[in-house]
Amino acid sequence: WDTLTERALIDDHPIRFIVMKATEGATIVDENFYKNFRKAKDHGFIRGAYHFWSVKSGATAQARYFIRNVKLQSGDLPPVLDVEHKTPNLTDEQFRDSVQRWLDIVEHHYGVKPIIYTYYKFKTQYLGTPQFDSYPYWIAHYYLDKVEYEGAWHFGQHTDAGRLPGIKGFVDLNIYKGSYRELQELCISEE
């Protein structure tokens, strides 16, 4: 992580992107999402929004709910699906199909391939099939000196207990595996 963290601190600007929770399931919008999303853009950050997968709602309803509530623009990161729990009444294959359905609906709407956020053991156990290989990955891998996950990844969350000025309490800290220019190229572009 150290080399990648140093890359994120270039030009004395430690934060290049901010990704915030937008929706969960088919009924929850984070109470601070709209304000935080607007303010991130006002302050010049690359911003992104994520949907937290719920085991209580179907993929189509969750995808439509995210689309209804999140208006991404040129310069924003692609939509992010945070999937950390397998829907218990589905087989592994049905679960993968359900995740794929969410990804397909959201990609069709925004015109960009979504990012998948998960922790490395979940990725290996449930999403390690070739159908997900073309998606940008955001791997949560806490409290380690180096990433143990051996697959391709674009983002890494290295702690859920970070501190930043102006934020009360703990905050997740993440890195992008690449240059600032590559991060910008990943963002939604005008057609």
Side-chain angles (χ1 to χ4, degrees), residues 22 26 33 39-40 53 60-62 68-69 84 89 105 143 149 162-163 173-174:
F33 171 68
K39 286 189 175 243
W53 180 267
T60 301
Q62 291 188 59
R68 187 168 49 251
N69 287 285
E84 302 177 36
N89 61 336
I105 292 167
Y143 316 121
Y149 175 69
R163 294 281 195 183
L173 295 178
N174 301 274

Side-chain angles (χ1 to χ4, degrees), residues 131-145:
Q131 76 190 79
F132 300 110
D133 286 349
S134 65
Y135 290 90
Y137 264 96
W138 192 322
I139 298 294
H141 208 49
Y142 302 163
Y143 316 121
L144 299 169
D145 293 332

Side-chain angles (χ1 to χ4, degrees), residues 31-104:
E31 64 184 33
N32 297 312
F33 171 68
Y34 297 114
K35 176 183 72 169
N36 290 341
F37 198 64
R38 181 179 39 81
K39 286 189 175 243
K41 185 168 185 91
D42 291 347
H43 289 285
F45 293 109
I46 294 175
R47 65 185 183 170
Y50 75 87
H51 173 79
F52 190 81
W53 180 267
S54 171
V55 298
K56 298 177 183 177
S57 305
T60 301
Q62 291 188 59
R64 289 182 178 153
Y65 192 69
F66 180 81
I67 290 166
R68 187 168 49 251
N69 287 285
V70 179
K71 309 303 179 208
L72 296 175
Q73 300 173 355
S74 177
D76 291 338
L77 286 168
V80 179
L81 175 60
D82 178 343
V83 58
E84 302 177 36
H85 304 284
K86 179 188 165 288
T87 308
N89 61 336
L90 300 179
T91 66
D92 290 358
E93 184 177 350
Q94 290 170 328
F95 173 66
R96 283 190 290 274
D97 289 346
S98 188
V99 168
Q100 186 67 61
R101 189 173 321 113
W102 189 97
L103 295 167
D104 289 345

